[in-house]
Amino acid sequence: MSSVQEYLDKHMLSRKIEDAVNAAVRAKTPDPVLFISNHMKKSVPSVITKVKARQILDSRGVPTVEVDLFTNKGMFRASVPTGVPSGLYEAIELRDGDKGTYLGNGVSRAVRNINEKISEAIVGMDPILQNQIDQAMIDLDKTEKKGELGGNAMLAVSIAACKAGAAEKEVPLYKHIADLSGRGSHVLPVPAFTLISGGKHAGNSLALRDIMILPIGARRFEEALQMGSETYHHLKAVIIEKYGAHETNVGEDGGFAPDISSFREGLDLIMEAISRTGYNDKLKIAIDVAATDFCVGTKYDLDYKSPNRSGQNFKSGEEMVEMYKELCRDYPIVSIEDPFDMEDWEQVKLFSGLGICQVVGDGLLMSNSKRIERAIQEHACNALLLKVNQIGTVTEAIEVVKMAKDAQWAVVISQRSGETDDSFIADLSVGLATGQIKAGAPCRGERLAKYNQLIRIEEELGDQASYVGDDWRQS
């Protein structure tokens, strides 16, 4: 008996148990054992007790990292998306390189780093302290681009810890993220729905990567999703009528990929679909050019994917500017992403200076704080495309969003071409009040995981829910 008493005294449990019993009596609970158990759980601060990682497949069938992080509140799971890494300025996606397994794309090294190294560093830490958890991993890695542990390993743990922190505070994930960033407001972002895919995301001849619609005229996120879905289905009908059913295959993000080659042909298809919805004034268009993919020297090869290219369709930077001006004049285009090569700072500065539309930096910035700083100083663009896996931790993602917003930039939270069913970026976009989210087409499960989560968040916020709509560029 004395050993039990010593244990109670050592951990000061007697007082906690007495408090729990008193609370159960006051509550007149029908199940005192369950009540006391839950009360005791709340009275003990939670710590990370275990971290377990595994290799899973993303939406392209390529391996990626998933983590289960445990606290006494339960298990919290996160998986990270994968892109087509350039490796220049972004966090390194650690892959095995063994060509005999998954064509070299396995992530068993990253998984091992979590199970053996990161786990040891963060077990025992308070999940609420996101900054300290992320810093512990950064200190352990010691490289600028997270090449030792892998940005994919670190981000999976960082997101899982963020979910655990929200559970510990008993608040929704977006609220916890808002607390971490010091922001009070929760806004539902305007979704940029991919309707037509090209570039490296599709097997057609279209040079640009995505044509998207922005339902800025919707009153609620739920209505925006309805507009996106209806336009998508009308577009399918337009493509079938014009090219036949065999042209309705989709690209990696779920956008249709008919075999078209000109920007205008794609834009005309979308305009026809919009006219059939009756949402004409409520939908705007955004394009992701990803011009780095077809930049040759100082020229841009708009026929780089065409099998019988004549070599006649090269444009200089100046000619590209003129083309964009004409497209913005003829179509309701309000946003252009990566209109020039990632190192073509002069042209992008010139184009941004015209103030024709939102100019989004993706390849130009790679979510890299040094590149963002330079772009802010040189007025090279006016919106950040944030891909969390290019940074590697939640804390650093929050920091670059602050940097962009301080510069009066807009922020677009973005998916990757290789996605998972983790909906984290939906909560991130609400918690950081970014105003814009780009999560692909309104189809395919890994894309809809994000959009459907935003519907749940809007429902949960009830009267407090605010959809940005016309204020989509809020910074």
Side-chain angles (χ1 to χ4, degrees):
M1 179 66 197
S2 63
S3 63
V4 172
Q5 192 59 53
E6 280 168 20
Y7 191 83
L8 289 170
D9 292 344
K10 181 185 173 187
H11 295 284
M12 295 181 287
L13 286 173
S14 297
R15 179 63 192 272
K16 286 175 181 167
I17 292 167
E18 193 179 321
D19 287 346
V21 171
N22 285 334
V25 170
R26 283 196 303 275
K28 298 187 173 69
T29 172
D31 189 341
V33 174
L34 182 64
F35 185 95
I36 290 166
S37 164
N38 286 336
H39 194 281
M40 290 296 288
K41 270 186 190 172
K42 285 179 189 174
S43 70
V44 180
S46 200
V47 294
I48 297 169
T49 54
K50 180 181 165 188
V51 183
K52 174 85 178 82
R54 66 182 64 84
Q55 176 172 277
I56 62 167
L57 296 185
D58 69 17
S59 60
R60 294 179 304 181
V62 174
T64 190
V65 180
E66 180 174 84
V67 163
D68 292 347
L69 182 144
F70 297 80
T71 70
N72 61 6
K73 281 279 197 297
M75 183 272 281
F76 305 92
R77 176 171 291 160
S79 54
V80 294
T82 60
V84 181
S86 72
L88 285 173
Y89 306 104
E90 60 192 294
I92 287 168
E93 211 170 65
L94 192 63
R95 297 203 178 269
D96 301 340
D98 170 11
K99 294 293 181 194
T101 307
Y102 283 117
L103 284 69
N105 289 317
V107 290
S108 60
R109 285 165 64 205
V111 165
R112 203 162 49 246
N113 284 342
I114 294 170
N115 291 337
E116 294 173 8
K117 297 176 183 174
I118 294 175
S119 166
E120 198 176 301
I122 68 165
V123 161
M125 293 184 81
D126 182 342
I128 291 176
L129 304 176
Q130 185 74 38
N131 187 25
Q132 291 182 23
I133 293 164
D134 290 342
Q135 195 57 50
M137 291 192 286
I138 290 167
D139 292 346
L140 189 63
D141 180 89
K142 296 188 179 68
T143 68
E144 191 184 344
K145 295 198 292 186
K146 303 178 174 63
E148 185 64 32
L149 298 173
N152 45 351
M154 291 167 72
L155 180 63
V157 173
S158 185
I159 291 174
C162 193
K163 292 177 180 180
E168 179 60 23
K169 285 158 63 176
E170 297 186 349
V171 298
L173 181 54
Y174 59 86
K175 172 79 169 71
H176 177 47
I177 291 167
D179 292 346
L180 291 172
S181 73
R183 295 191 68 85
S185 59
H186 309 305
V187 296
L188 276 296
V190 165
F193 294 116
T194 303
L195 292 197
I196 288 183
S197 292
K200 288 190 173 174
H201 288 182
N204 55 10
S205 301
L206 186 62
L208 67 72
R209 190 171 286 179
D210 293 306
I211 306 179
M212 298 161 279
I213 55 165
L214 304 173
I216 65 169
R219 288 165 307 216
R220 304 180 66 236
F221 182 83
E222 188 179 9
E223 187 185 2
L225 188 58
Q226 179 187 333
M227 288 179 176
S229 171
E230 289 175 8
T231 313
Y232 185 82
H233 290 287
H234 277 298
L235 177 61
K236 184 176 185 178
V238 171
I239 292 170
I240 290 171
E241 286 167 27
K242 204 167 167 71
Y243 308 104
H246 61 284
E247 290 291 343
T248 56
N249 287 337
V250 299
E252 290 178 347
D253 298 351
F256 293 112
D259 195 17
I260 55 178
S261 57
S262 86
F263 288 25
R264 284 181 179 270
E265 200 174 353
L267 289 162
D268 287 341
L269 289 172
I270 284 180
M271 291 305 290
E272 174 59 31
I274 289 173
S275 74
R276 294 186 186 190
T277 64
Y279 297 132
N280 298 46
D281 300 332
K282 296 182 177 179
L283 298 174
K284 299 296 181 190
I285 293 177
I287 58 176
D288 174 10
V289 183
T292 300
D293 290 348
F294 53 90
C295 182
V296 184
T298 58
K299 295 280 181 93
Y300 294 89
D301 180 7
L302 299 187
D303 277 344
Y304 89 106
K305 291 174 72 183
S306 301
N308 345 307
R309 46 186 220 231
S310 59
Q312 303 300 306
N313 210 0
F314 277 91
K315 286 191 184 295
S316 66
E318 293 76 14
E319 288 169 328
M320 292 290 280
V321 169
E322 286 309 310
M323 180 184 76
Y324 295 138
K325 281 161 74 173
E326 287 170 15
L327 291 175
C328 290
R329 183 193 66 209
D330 298 343
Y331 301 93
I333 295 172
V334 293
S335 178
I336 301 181
E337 181 183 328
D338 279 353
F340 302 96
D341 179 67
M342 61 188 285
E343 301 299 351
D344 196 346
W345 289 83
E346 290 313 308
Q347 289 298 343
V348 77
K349 279 194 288 191
L350 174 79
F351 183 59
S352 292
L354 298 175
I356 294 171
C357 64
Q358 170 175 273
V359 180
V360 185
D362 174 17
L364 180 79
L365 306 173
M366 295 204 187
S367 306
N368 177 299
S369 58
K370 289 177 182 166
R371 303 272 293 183
I372 295 167
E373 212 168 291
R374 177 181 171 186
I376 289 169
Q377 286 167 359
E378 298 188 19
H379 304 287
C381 54
N382 52 34
L384 162 69
L385 191 87
L386 178 73
K387 293 172 172 171
V388 279
N389 75 318
Q390 288 184 330
I391 300 179
T393 65
V394 172
T395 301
E396 290 165 290
I398 290 170
E399 282 166 8
V400 298
V401 168
K402 274 187 183 159
M403 191 189 295
K405 283 177 172 279
D406 287 347
Q408 304 298 299
W409 279 18
V411 179
V412 186
I413 299 271
S414 177
Q415 56 157 27
R416 299 307 308 261
S417 52
E419 264 299 336
T420 72
D421 57 4
D422 194 317
S423 60
F424 177 75
I425 63 169
D427 284 83
L428 189 67
S429 70
V430 176
L432 298 183
T434 61
Q436 298 175 65
I437 187 169
K438 177 184 170 183
C443 86
R444 292 181 54 136
E446 75 281 358
R447 316 290 155 186
L448 288 169
K450 287 69 168 165
Y451 295 135
N452 289 339
Q453 174 65 359
L454 287 164
I455 282 189
R456 295 181 201 110
I457 292 171
E458 184 170 63
E459 181 185 277
E460 188 176 293
L461 285 168
D463 294 342
Q464 304 299 306
S466 169
Y467 173 68
V468 292
D470 286 330
D471 195 22
W472 58 283
R473 271 196 47 76
Q474 64 168 269
S475 52

